[in-house]
Amino acid sequence: MVGWLAEEERQGRRAVLERTGLAGLTVLRAGVPLPPKLRERTVLRRVEKAAGLLARAGVRRVLTRQDFPHWDVLSAYGLRPVDLEPLCQALAAPLALAALERQGIAPSVGTVALSGRRVSRPLFQAAMALCPQVRTLVIDAPDGGAELAGELRREYGAAALTALDGSAAQVLLSFSPGEGRGLLLWGPAPDLDGLTLVPPLDLPGELAPLPLLAVLWEEGRIPAKEIRVVPEDFGRN
């Protein structure tokens, strides 16, 4: 069960637990009364009580608003954010193509580099998806990278290189800690370098959108192929 910590501008002291639906997903919502001008000590105490209720109900992952400031309180009860890394890595190929498009570079003339400590399943799947589309694909993975590049050359007859070839990439996607540039698809806070993921349906505005999208994808509610990749300022005036 996924939890939802909802901050409510109402009177009262007690958090209220209820099962509710989010885009077809059942979650356990903890409504916490946090009207304006509460003392910080009171806010923390109420968040702590809500965290205890969620933890005792078996919740381990929690959805919150964007920039929720009290994760230290939640983590003390074994509650954690939704892991964003699996979704971002599963969408590595669309992210790479969107990053090329943003630069005005057609895939047929573009160079994309995939970097990681090893050829993980997501890196392998991204390579297989991108190799037939881009001009050059660089595989920078000490564990298995050379073998994968060779396999891609044999399979597609394409320019699949290793990092030792020194190819300059217009787009770099990192699957594990390393160089701090490009699209960083690992860790608790992936950096999509100005790109964002857009679901095929409207999500509740009071929740951070990417964690909710990650849960809906994980639970099979939203297929990866229906998630669009656009610049963060897409649609703004």
Side-chain angles (χ1 to χ4, degrees), residues 74-98:
L74 302 190
S75 64
Y77 285 84
L79 304 176
R80 64 183 190 276
V82 173
D83 188 2
L84 306 179
E85 181 178 297
L87 174 62
C88 292
Q89 294 197 1
L91 293 173
L95 283 163
L97 296 174

Side-chain angles (χ1 to χ4, degrees), residues 2 22-23 25 27 61-64 66 80-91 185 187-190 192 196-201 203-204 207-224 227-228:
V2 175
L22 280 175
L25 177 71
V27 300
R61 299 181 298 166
V62 179
L63 300 165
T64 66
Q66 193 77 34
R80 64 183 190 276
V82 173
D83 188 2
L84 306 179
E85 181 178 297
L87 174 62
C88 292
Q89 294 197 1
L91 293 173
L185 308 184
L192 302 186
T196 190
L197 306 178
V198 179
L201 70 166
L203 299 181
L207 284 169
L210 191 53
L212 176 54
L213 177 58
V215 169
L216 294 172
W217 165 77
E218 178 186 306
E219 296 293 328
R221 305 287 178 172
I222 297 180
I227 301 173
R228 292 186 299 141

